[in-house]
Amino acid sequence: MINLEQLEPIFRQVFDDEAISLQRETTSDDIEEWDSLTHMNLVVALELRFKIKFALGELQKLRNVGEMLDLINRKLG
Amino acid sequence: MLFNSFEFILFFLPLTVVVYFLLLRRHLTIAARSWLLFASLCFYSWWNVRYLPLILGSILFNYTVGGLLAEYDAGVKRGVSKKSIFLCGIVANIALLCWFKYMDFFIGTANGLLGTQLPFLKIVLPLGISFFTITQIAFLVDAYEGLVEERNLLNYALFVTFFPHLLAGPILHHSEMMPQFERLRNKVLNWKNLYLGLTLFFLGLFKKVVLADTFSAWASAGFDTTQPLSLVPAWLTSLSYTFQLYFDFSGYSDMAVGVGWMFNIRLPINFNSPYKATGMIDFWKRWHITLTNFITTYLYTPILRAMGRITFTNSLVAIFLAMLISGFWHGAGWNFIIWGGMHGAGLVVNHAWKKKKYKMPAWLGWLITFNFVNVSFVFFRAKSLAGGGQILAGMAGLNGVVLHKSLEKFSLLRDAGVTFGKWLDAIKGNDETWITAVVALVIVVSLKNSMEIVSRVRASWGWLALLLVASFWSLLDMSKVSEFLYFQF
């Protein structure tokens, strides 16, 4: 089971912002740098870090941190 | 059948709604869904029944391939791999689209490059084929990647053909549609949804027949004329089309969403005041939103993944390619490829700018974005590259400046080479033309959009009066038959 604290460093690195703090409710609207382009960097960073693979149809759902966490844990579990 | 026709508004829509809910009241849910499917197929065939077998064949083929993919068991030895089934499905869909949409473009290009004399096939584009092909490609991709859970042929066929979206979107995703046809609470007539749906429908109809169709006359005159346009009519031609396209397409989308609500079905929102955008990234978050989502998910991402490493440069290349393909999806012609390329380039510049953390005042961002979009739509509308070039030359002032006679007394203008006289005759315009364009600019920049308006609607006499005025005005203006612009894509 991974948690928010494990996601945070990845977000800070991808979006180049040390001030990012994540909540389950955080969405792509809350982080200025999070657009369709950086979204892919985030997805790939997550795939490498947790050795998982997202399907194309899942990518739009990953715009919400809570759903992202659940999906990653489902894939790891 | 057109949304803006009396047979749709007075006959087809009421009959479909009433029978649907009568069947549901008797708990005949399968019959009700079948009725909706039957009505959708009638809606499609109204235009040309010859293409009914085409859409039915496409649905059955994709449903079957999707089923094979979803149930593929890796443990069982088979003659064909999952990947080859998937690729066959994708290739078949693209081949169908190529045949009906791009053959003459390929033939023309080959004739031009190789000097051959191949005859054109002059195939009629089946209505909605671009839309029902890409929604089903998305279905196959998801089936291949194990995301398709629900597989009911009736729900699937209804998802593809449901008449509000069938001809020009919004582009739907099976995972947000198919479950809705199953949900129980969607099956009781909901007066609130019916009222809000009707309001949204008539707001959309108003945008289409009162606003878009007014601009259509000037845009057509300007783009069809062979004489060179001077400065002002050239600008009014391009602005007329920019306003026509928005009111036409967003009006159509409003009507589609509104009709969906009447059946308690939520279709995705397609527009969010796009001409308020202050940058190109912002524009594509507001314009044809369901297409943006489709391109991001099913074009941009696979292209980027195929390139191996995710770098900033690779992302920009992927964005550009995805927009180029999206341009070509809109139509078989170089002008559409240029349009896509322009938007790709605009997004690339915007992303690079953002990465550098440069700032720009919002008003300047808006001014650049709006003008860039306006110029790009010249290529979107023009029948050929040369035709688009003609309009742009006029907009740049290369064909001179002609102004209204009343301005002749200003010697400054005369000295600058301005002539005076019949300044808007070339686009069959008059003073109403520029006044309407100014009004439209104010509307799209400062007013709330139809979704925001509908979210404020209450059951009050005031709103009812507004709804009645909008609907009667639209119905009175509906005497002429005019197709929606996005039917040609």
Side-chain angles (χ1 to χ4, degrees):
Chain A
M1 280 291 267
I2 64 151
N3 52 37
L4 284 173
E5 283 75 54
Q6 287 165 282
L7 285 185
E8 246 169 32
I10 302 174
F11 272 71
R12 287 177 180 169
Q13 198 210 340
V14 168
F15 297 122
D16 193 18
D17 180 358
E18 287 303 312
I20 290 177
S21 108
L22 295 181
Q23 315 297 323
R24 276 191 65 89
E25 296 74 35
T26 310
T27 69
S28 55
D29 293 332
D30 301 319
I31 298 176
E32 158 112 53
E33 293 301 312
W34 192 349
D35 56 33
S36 59
L37 200 139
T38 48
H39 185 62
M40 272 311 294
N41 300 4
L42 177 68
V43 167
V44 173
L46 292 169
E47 288 183 337
L48 286 175
R49 170 69 179 76
F50 300 111
K51 305 209 167 33
I52 48 174
K53 188 114 176 86
F54 294 110
L56 291 178
E58 290 171 332
L59 297 181
Q60 288 298 322
K61 293 177 193 141
L62 292 176
R63 296 195 164 267
N64 167 313
V65 171
E67 282 182 44
M68 174 186 286
L69 205 57
D70 296 341
L71 187 60
I72 295 173
N73 279 322
R74 215 164 42 238
K75 281 181 185 282
L76 290 172
Chain B
M1 200 180 303
L2 299 166
F3 287 170
N4 53 336
S5 67
F6 288 108
E7 60 264 29
F8 178 82
I9 295 172
L10 301 179
F11 174 71
F12 180 87
L13 184 59
L15 181 72
T16 312
V17 171
V18 167
V19 173
Y20 178 69
F21 285 109
L22 279 181
L23 288 170
L24 284 176
R25 185 181 268 185
R26 293 168 177 257
H27 303 288
L28 302 168
T29 52
I30 294 187
R33 264 179 278 160
S34 310
W35 162 253
L36 218 46
L37 176 63
F38 173 75
S40 298
L41 295 175
C42 289
F43 178 84
Y44 188 74
S45 311
W46 192 270
W47 162 72
N48 191 342
V49 73
R50 272 177 46 210
Y51 288 112
L52 185 60
L54 182 77
I55 189 170
L56 288 177
S58 169
I59 290 170
L60 283 174
F61 173 80
N62 285 302
Y63 177 76
T64 310
V65 175
L68 287 175
L69 291 170
E71 281 173 12
Y72 194 90
D73 188 346
V76 182
K77 264 244 174 264
R78 283 197 211 196
V80 277
S81 69
K82 189 175 176 184
K83 191 164 190 174
S84 27
I85 299 175
F86 170 64
L87 287 177
C88 280
I90 299 291
V91 169
N93 276 293
I94 294 176
L96 184 79
L97 196 57
C98 280
W99 173 259
F100 283 103
K101 192 163 178 172
Y102 299 108
M103 271 325 271
D104 278 349
F105 174 75
F106 293 143
I107 291 173
T109 311
N111 285 347
L113 286 177
L114 310 170
T116 47
Q117 297 289 327
L118 300 169
F120 288 108
L121 299 176
K122 298 211 165 61
I123 298 168
V124 178
L125 183 72
L127 221 46
I129 189 169
S130 310
F131 289 92
F132 69 70
T133 304
I134 64 169
T135 46
Q136 297 192 95
I137 285 179
F139 175 74
L140 291 188
V141 173
D142 286 357
Y144 178 62
E145 300 201 300
L147 295 183
V148 169
E149 279 150 20
E150 199 211 322
R151 288 189 38 248
N152 172 313
L153 179 59
L154 184 54
N155 287 355
Y156 180 75
L158 199 49
F159 144 66
V160 178
T161 62
F162 189 40
F163 69 90
H165 81 93
L166 173 60
L167 301 180
I171 298 166
L172 305 182
H173 198 264
H174 59 92
S175 69
E176 61 190 3
M177 291 311 295
M178 288 171 66
Q180 291 200 59
F181 295 121
E182 280 296 331
R183 234 168 267 154
L184 273 174
R185 66 179 164 79
N186 285 358
K187 291 176 183 161
V188 190
L189 178 64
N190 182 325
W191 289 102
K192 188 181 165 208
N193 282 353
L194 192 65
Y195 179 62
L196 291 181
L198 267 177
T199 309
L200 191 54
F201 180 86
F202 278 110
L203 275 177
L205 186 68
F206 185 85
K207 279 158 92 171
K208 163 66 181 162
V209 302
V210 178
L211 299 172
D213 286 353
T214 303
F215 281 113
S216 153
W218 302 315
S220 302
F223 275 100
D224 292 344
T225 185
T226 46
Q227 56 170 302
L229 294 176
S230 64
L231 184 82
V232 179
W235 273 94
L236 283 175
T237 299
S238 74
L239 286 172
S240 290
Y241 182 66
T242 295
F243 292 132
Q244 182 200 354
L245 184 63
Y246 170 64
F247 288 124
D248 187 284
F249 192 23
S250 74
Y252 170 85
S253 298
D254 289 341
M255 285 187 257
V257 173
V259 172
W261 283 354
M262 296 179 203
F263 294 94
N264 303 323
I265 298 290
R266 289 169 62 91
L267 302 182
I269 307 305
N270 224 4
F271 288 89
N272 180 18
S273 304
Y275 293 159
K276 289 180 189 166
T278 53
M280 289 309 290
I281 302 174
D282 192 23
F283 178 76
W284 279 98
K285 281 182 182 164
R286 295 161 170 273
W287 175 272
H288 207 171
I289 299 167
T290 56
L291 179 72
T292 309
N293 289 341
F294 181 87
I295 293 173
T296 316
T297 308
Y298 295 102
L299 268 178
Y300 164 73
T301 311
I303 292 173
L304 189 54
R305 279 191 167 161
M307 296 198 319
R309 275 169 48 78
I310 310 262
T311 61
F312 186 64
T313 318
N314 281 355
S315 310
L316 295 185
V317 173
I319 284 184
F320 186 77
L321 287 176
M323 292 309 287
L324 216 53
I325 297 171
S326 126
F328 195 49
W329 173 79
H330 276 90
W334 286 103
N335 48 328
F336 288 105
I337 298 178
I338 289 193
W339 175 80
M342 281 182 75
H343 279 268
L347 285 169
V348 165
V349 170
N350 197 166
H351 275 294
W353 184 275
K354 196 173 164 192
K355 171 113 173 157
K356 295 269 184 199
K357 297 195 166 57
Y358 292 151
K359 294 284 172 232
M360 183 186 282
W363 66 268
L364 185 59
W366 173 83
L367 193 69
I368 295 174
T369 307
F370 183 77
N371 279 292
F372 184 82
V373 167
N374 183 43
V375 168
S376 79
F377 281 147
V378 170
F379 289 104
F380 201 72
R381 170 63 172 80
K383 289 199 180 69
S384 64
L385 283 188
Q390 268 293 331
I391 303 279
L392 291 181
M395 289 166 73
L398 299 181
N399 300 328
V401 183
V402 183
L403 291 178
H404 194 263
K405 273 204 283 288
S406 60
L407 298 169
E408 205 166 7
K409 53 183 176 284
F410 296 103
S411 60
L412 199 71
L413 291 172
R414 268 202 318 266
D415 296 341
V418 175
T419 50
F420 301 87
K422 298 178 172 170
W423 64 317
L424 294 178
D425 281 15
I427 60 168
K428 300 198 178 94
N430 47 40
D431 283 336
E432 191 195 333
T433 314
W434 67 266
I435 295 171
T436 315
V438 171
V439 170
L441 189 64
V442 172
I443 290 176
V444 296
V445 171
S446 63
L447 291 197
K448 296 209 175 306
N449 63 45
S450 41
M451 279 299 159
E452 292 164 334
I453 293 173
V454 166
S455 70
R456 292 163 163 245
V457 168
R458 301 283 173 270
S460 71
W461 291 109
W463 281 111
L464 187 64
L466 197 70
L467 173 64
L468 288 176
V469 169
S471 47
F472 276 109
W473 191 343
S474 314
L475 291 174
L476 288 176
D477 257 23
M478 234 169 57
S479 49
K480 51 191 181 292
V481 176
S482 68
E483 281 207 350
F484 289 90
L485 291 173
Y486 254 69
F487 282 10
Q488 58 184 302
F489 300 131

